[in-house]
Amino acid sequence: MTAVTLPWLNPKEPDRAREGRRKVTDPLLVHTRLRGAINRTTWNIKAWTPALAGAVVIPPLPKK
């Protein structure tokens, strides 16, 4: 797994600059070939939606 550090907005300090925000490091469950975070649109279109359709959780995807 690959660890990624993200800055999160602290609700108690909403006006704090990005550099001053609390940082959280967590492992990515899945990542790109370059060990980066996967774009959410790419994940939804290329992986998640076809998996749900294959498991018959959603209707089959239209043929292209």
Side-chain angles (χ1 to χ4, degrees):
M1 281 198 216
T2 300
V4 64
T5 301
L6 301 170
W8 296 107
L9 180 61
N10 184 341
K12 295 179 182 177
E13 300 171 333
D15 297 327
R16 184 170 269 203
R18 184 176 185 88
E19 298 78 29
R21 293 179 185 174
R22 174 176 61 97
K23 305 240 185 304
V24 176
T25 301
D26 283 318
L28 292 175
L29 293 176
V30 291
H31 50 76
T32 66
R33 291 179 293 165
L34 301 175
R35 300 206 177 271
I38 295 175
N39 178 286
R40 69 175 180 250
T41 302
T42 302
W43 173 258
N44 284 334
I45 293 171
K46 304 263 183 186
W48 190 242
T49 302
L52 291 175
V56 195
V57 174
I58 62 173
L61 298 174
K63 301 284 183 197
K64 292 185 179 182

